[in-house]
């Protein structure tokens, strides 16, 4: 990192998330509350709300919901200089509660989902200490080439690369296709976030052994493997070998929805790393605390976009 690099550049998706007002039922005449979501936008707002200079690269539609989203983000702590208005509809997601689980319906096809690739990736990333990339924009039909080029440009310029796997079974024809796409990016990464479900989508073991399969033989990175309310496993990999490994149990939380927990974890850890914290166990605890705060409420960010704040570090 050079002296003129600072803050975090988060690159990825923005969605409009709809929740039934009563929290459960959907029927004719149901009322919905909307919140700005998307893995990248969630992570960016968490990092910014914890005091880190954060910029967002994403697309927002030109429809009514896109206009509202643009106004909402502009009033918040995240720098929106690199947000692109695209002449398309905004991607919508609908939360559906179930007795034993929760699910999402998404309307993404034909929308502005993803981000507009920068004309000069090297110039864009060069002024930041960190660039954080998202697995949901990794499929070929979204932004695969652009994600790979940003990772390569960042590594060449001395910008540290962070990546959240965010595996979705409906985005990949086979686990092998997902594994190959991940390997193309993870070889450049300094910080990796992987849920056990992500590793399952990649068809590898849901443990540090599985992560090592995705890294080059001489790869080095700090890795966090999350598993919902179960223990988080954090490890340091140097030249292909695990040199440190700890497990940290998340604090107990009343779960309103699990949506955004992983994004909160990543955003909080990015803020902590940008602030100079490097202790593996402390970072895992910070991420767990943010994740627990995120699951406790639906739409955790205030209407003015200021975000949910907590004494994490």
């Amino acid at each position: 990192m050079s002296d003129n690099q600072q803050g975090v550049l988060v690159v990825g998706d923005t969605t409009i998330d709809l929740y039934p007002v009563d929290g459960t039922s959907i029927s004719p005449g149901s009322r919905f509350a909307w919140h700005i979501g998307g893995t990248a936008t969630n992570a960016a707002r968490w990092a910014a709300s914890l005091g880190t200079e954060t910029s967002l690269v994403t697309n927002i539609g030109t429809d009514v919901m896109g206009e509202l989203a643009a106004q909402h983000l502009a009033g918040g702590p995240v720098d929106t200089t690199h947000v692109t208005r695209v002449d398309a509809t905004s991607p919508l997601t609908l939360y559906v509660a179930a007795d034993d689980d929760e699910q999402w319906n998404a309307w993404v096809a034909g929308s502005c989902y993803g981000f507009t690739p920068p004309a000069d990736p090297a110039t864009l990333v060069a002024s930041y200490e960190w660039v954080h990339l998202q697995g949901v924009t990794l499929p070929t039909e979204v932004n695969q080439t652009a994600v790979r080029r940003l990772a390569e440009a960042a590594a060449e310029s001395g910008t540290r690369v962070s990546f959240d796997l965010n595996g979705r079974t409906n985005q990949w024809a086979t686990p092998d296709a997902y594994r190959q796409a991940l390997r193309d990016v993870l070889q450049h990464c300094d910080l990796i976030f992987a849920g056990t479900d992500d590793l399952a989508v990649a068809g590898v073991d849901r443990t540090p052994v599985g992560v090592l399969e995705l890294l080059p033989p001489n790869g080095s990175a700090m890795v966090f493997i999350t598993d919902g309310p179960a223990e988080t496993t954090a490890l340091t990999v140097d030249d292909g070998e695990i040199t440190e490994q700890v497990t940290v149990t998340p604090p107990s939380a009343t779960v309103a929805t699990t949506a955004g927990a992983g994004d909160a974890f990543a955003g909080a850890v990015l803020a902590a790393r940008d602030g100079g914290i490097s202790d593996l166990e402390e970072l895992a605890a910070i991420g767990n605390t943010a994740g627990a705060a995120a699951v406790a409420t639906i739409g955790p960010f205030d209407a003015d976009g200021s975000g949910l704040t907590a004494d994490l570090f």
Side-chain angles (χ1 to χ4, degrees):
M1 182 186 74
S2 64
D3 292 339
N4 64 346
Q5 289 177 310
Q6 59 183 354
V8 176
L9 179 71
V10 180
V11 183
D13 59 319
T14 297
T15 59
I16 307 299
D17 298 343
L18 305 176
Y19 295 84
V21 170
D22 66 4
T24 55
S25 64
I26 299 176
S27 59
S30 290
R31 297 178 63 244
F32 297 89
W34 70 274
H35 302 277
I36 298 178
T39 58
T41 302
N42 289 340
R45 290 187 297 171
W46 268 96
S49 70
L50 294 170
T52 294
E53 292 185 33
T54 307
S55 297
L56 177 63
V57 177
T58 192
N59 288 339
I60 293 180
T62 52
D63 55 0
V64 172
M65 294 308 299
E67 179 61 34
L68 292 172
Q71 294 176 14
H72 190 94
L73 286 174
V78 176
D79 172 47
T80 58
T81 301
H82 305 296
V83 172
T84 301
R85 299 297 300 276
V86 176
D87 189 15
T89 58
S90 299
L92 299 177
T93 63
L94 172 64
Y95 170 81
V96 182
D99 292 337
D100 57 351
D101 200 357
E102 61 185 29
Q103 64 184 32
W104 289 85
N105 292 326
W107 292 268
V108 172
S111 74
C112 65
Y113 187 75
F115 63 93
T116 299
D120 185 353
T123 298
L124 175 65
V125 301
S127 61
Y128 295 93
E129 180 177 359
W130 288 93
V131 58
H132 180 62
L133 305 170
Q134 295 287 342
V136 293
T137 57
L138 190 56
T140 303
E141 60 271 23
V142 187
N143 290 117
Q144 186 173 112
T145 299
V147 170
R148 187 173 63 247
R149 287 176 176 170
L150 282 166
E152 293 169 350
E156 290 173 0
S157 69
T159 296
R160 300 174 189 177
V161 182
S162 169
F163 189 82
D164 194 333
L165 270 63
N166 275 312
R168 305 287 192 268
T169 54
N170 62 349
Q171 287 188 315
W172 301 97
T174 65
D176 182 66
Y178 181 42
R179 285 196 302 272
Q180 186 55 57
L182 287 174
R183 287 170 178 148
D184 289 343
V185 175
L186 294 182
Q187 62 179 310
H188 304 294
C189 292
D190 304 275
L191 183 60
I192 298 169
F193 301 97
T196 53
D197 289 346
D198 302 331
L199 298 176
V201 175
V204 298
D205 201 72
R206 296 156 58 114
T207 67
V209 173
V211 173
L212 291 181
E213 287 188 47
L214 302 174
L215 297 177
N218 62 343
S220 298
M222 182 178 287
V223 183
F224 295 90
I225 304 173
T226 55
D227 189 15
E231 288 183 334
T232 292
T233 301
L235 54 144
T236 301
V237 180
D238 289 314
D239 292 326
E241 300 289 336
I242 297 174
T243 57
E244 182 182 5
Q245 181 171 325
V246 300
T247 56
V248 180
T249 302
S252 59
T254 300
V255 178
T257 172
T258 59
D263 308 327
F265 188 107
V269 170
L270 273 168
R273 290 292 289 120
D274 185 63
I277 297 175
S278 59
D279 180 79
L280 201 59
E281 187 168 356
E282 183 178 2
L283 289 168
I286 288 169
N288 282 340
T289 301
V295 303
T297 180
I298 289 178
F301 287 88
D302 299 331
D304 65 356
S306 59
L308 188 157
T309 58
D311 294 327
L312 301 185
F313 53 91

